[in-house]
């Protein structure tokens, strides 16, 4: 058991770091793209509405 | 602007599979045990380091494919698709480098080693970054697309070189599959790895499609602004 702990504990920060980094990066990527898509969807709706009103006028 | 249900399914499935692989890594797959009794816990980085590395190689195929399609047809959409594929590849390349460096520090005791796999992958990383430097340094749209397409094909050529280099030259980087006697994985490790790999490829596909949708939105917004402004 002592041998296992002596191997696992010094390696743990690197393993946690690697896995943490991957999850933060994956979630960050998805979050950023969805956020930008939502913003652009709103902008597009405003522009289309504005164009429609202009055509009707 | 049509939605892509397949991309959304891939995103959810990819998320589920990678999460499952994450739990399997720590609660199911055993750590590598060496004949001298040493337990290698850091090997667990492998289950995500290799899938992101393989994904980076595979996504670069699309960079080259769309680059060739652009050079053949001169249709702008292929340049956009090649650019997005390279963006996704860059994302995976940076993750591969970061996780690889952490593994190297544990296993080899150093942050970096100039051995064939790391050196060729470093060149690949610089080439992928260079692709975007080249794009941003060329103002003319047509020329930018031509240069980027040609350079994208060159970037892709690095992928098989980096993948096979450990089989061609003597290297201290592990060869897990097809590395002769002692290579390969036991069943629980292999299943965990395959699930992580499939999940990561699904996420790669979903990321590509999401970014493509974003580009389509951006182009539509720009076109509408011009229409309203004019």
């Amino acid at each position: 058991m002592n041998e296992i702990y002596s191997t696992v504990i010094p390696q743990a920060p690197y393993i946690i770091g690697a896995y943490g980094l991957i999850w933060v990066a994956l979630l960050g990527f998805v979050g950023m793209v969805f956020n930008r898509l939502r913003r652009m969807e709103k902008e597009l709706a405003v522009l289309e509405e504005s164009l429609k009103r202009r055509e009707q006028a | 602007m049509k939605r892509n249900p397949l991309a959304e399914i891939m995103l959810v499935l990819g998320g589920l599979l990678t999460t499952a692989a994450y739990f399997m890594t720590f609660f199911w797959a055993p750590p590598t045990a060496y004949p001298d009794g040493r337990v290698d816990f850091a090997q667990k980085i492998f289950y995500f380091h290799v899938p992101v590395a393989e994904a980076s190689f595979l996504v670069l195929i699309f960079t080259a494919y769309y680059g060739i399609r652009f050079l053949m047809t001169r249709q702008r959409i292929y340049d956009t698709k090649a650019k997005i594929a390279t963006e996704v590849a860059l994302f995976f390349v940076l993750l591969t480098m970061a996780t690889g460096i952490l593994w190297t520090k544990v296993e080899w005791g150093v942050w970096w080693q100039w051995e064939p796999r790391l050196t060729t992958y470093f060149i690949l990383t610089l080439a992928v970054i260079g692709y975007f430097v080249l794009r941003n340094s060329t103002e003319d749209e047509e020329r930018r697309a031509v240069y980027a397409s040609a350079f994208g094909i060159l970037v892709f050529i690095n992928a098989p070189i980096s993948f096979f280099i450990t089989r061609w030259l003597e290297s201290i980087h592990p060869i897990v599959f097809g590395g002769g006697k002692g290579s390969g994985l036991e069943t629980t490790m292999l299943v965990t790895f395959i699930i992580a790999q499939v999940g990561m490829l699904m996420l790669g596909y979903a990321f590509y499609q999401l970014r493509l949708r974003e580009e389509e939105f951006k182009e539509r917004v720009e076109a509408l602004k011009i229409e309203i402004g004019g």
Side-chain angles (χ1 to χ4, degrees):
Chain A
M1 212 57 184
N2 274 347
E3 200 179 333
I4 291 174
Y5 282 128
S6 68
T7 315
V8 170
I9 291 169
Q11 293 179 351
Y14 299 98
I15 299 157
I16 294 166
Y19 276 85
L21 188 80
I22 284 177
W23 284 107
V24 168
L26 290 174
L27 290 175
F29 191 98
V30 174
M32 257 165 36
V33 174
F34 271 118
N35 200 24
R36 286 201 302 251
L37 274 174
R38 232 190 339 259
R39 221 175 37 221
M40 248 179 272
E41 238 163 350
K42 276 183 197 160
E43 197 178 351
L44 199 63
V46 170
L47 285 169
E48 275 170 349
E49 183 61 36
S50 154
L51 191 69
K52 206 186 286 173
R53 256 182 298 171
R54 225 175 106 163
E55 280 168 358
Q56 282 167 351
Chain B
M1 211 80 20
K2 23 180 226 297
R3 287 173 66 180
N4 185 340
L6 182 64
E8 286 166 21
I9 291 167
M10 289 289 206
L11 185 67
V12 174
L13 266 181
L16 287 174
L17 287 181
T18 46
T19 308
Y22 176 83
F23 283 106
M24 287 162 81
T25 298
F26 290 101
F27 300 110
W28 193 53
T32 306
Y34 292 107
D36 61 4
R38 239 172 358 108
V39 178
D40 184 11
F41 194 64
Q43 181 268 346
K44 298 217 175 272
I45 293 176
F46 157 87
Y47 296 105
F48 276 74
H49 169 71
V50 176
V52 287
E54 305 284 355
S56 73
F57 290 144
L58 291 172
V59 176
L60 282 173
I61 293 175
F62 293 94
T63 299
Y65 172 72
Y66 287 124
I68 292 167
R69 291 295 299 268
F70 174 80
L71 292 174
M72 284 166 69
T73 63
R74 299 292 163 126
Q75 285 180 31
R76 215 176 121 216
I77 184 67
Y78 293 125
D79 176 52
T80 306
K81 286 182 173 181
K83 182 188 82 175
I84 293 168
T86 319
E87 265 180 36
V88 176
L90 177 64
F91 175 75
F92 285 129
V93 161
L94 294 177
L95 279 180
T96 306
M97 281 300 246
T99 53
I101 284 168
L102 289 167
W103 179 85
T104 307
K105 177 65 181 160
V106 181
E107 290 292 330
W108 299 341
V110 289
W111 293 104
W112 188 262
Q113 185 80 41
W114 290 106
E115 63 84 53
R117 169 60 62 75
L118 269 66
T119 307
T120 50
Y121 203 82
F122 181 64
I123 294 167
L124 176 80
T125 306
L126 291 182
V128 175
I129 294 169
Y131 175 90
F132 293 102
V133 174
L134 179 68
R135 287 194 79 91
N136 290 329
S137 61
T138 316
E139 273 186 33
D140 181 72
E141 212 172 278
E142 175 78 14
R143 274 172 59 190
R144 179 173 57 214
V146 172
Y147 293 164
S149 297
F151 193 71
I153 296 163
L154 292 177
V155 173
F156 163 70
I157 291 169
N158 282 282
I161 293 173
S162 183
F163 182 80
F164 288 110
I165 197 81
T166 47
R167 281 136 178 113
W168 297 334
L169 298 177
E170 201 173 304
S171 166
I172 53 168
H173 193 281
I175 306 171
V176 179
F177 302 106
K181 199 174 169 225
S183 71
L185 293 171
E186 68 168 74
T187 314
T188 47
M189 291 170 150
L190 185 65
V191 171
T192 306
F193 166 72
I194 289 171
I195 290 175
Q197 180 69 81
V198 172
M200 203 56 76
L201 290 176
M202 284 178 167
L203 287 180
Y205 174 80
F207 289 174
Y208 169 80
Q209 289 295 341
L210 282 173
R211 279 288 297 117
L212 190 62
R213 188 149 183 256
E214 192 189 337
E215 284 296 312
E216 284 170 357
F217 265 125
K218 212 182 278 177
E219 280 177 19
R220 178 87 182 116
V221 166
E222 290 306 315
L224 277 176
K225 275 181 182 169
I226 291 168
E227 213 174 320
I228 291 167

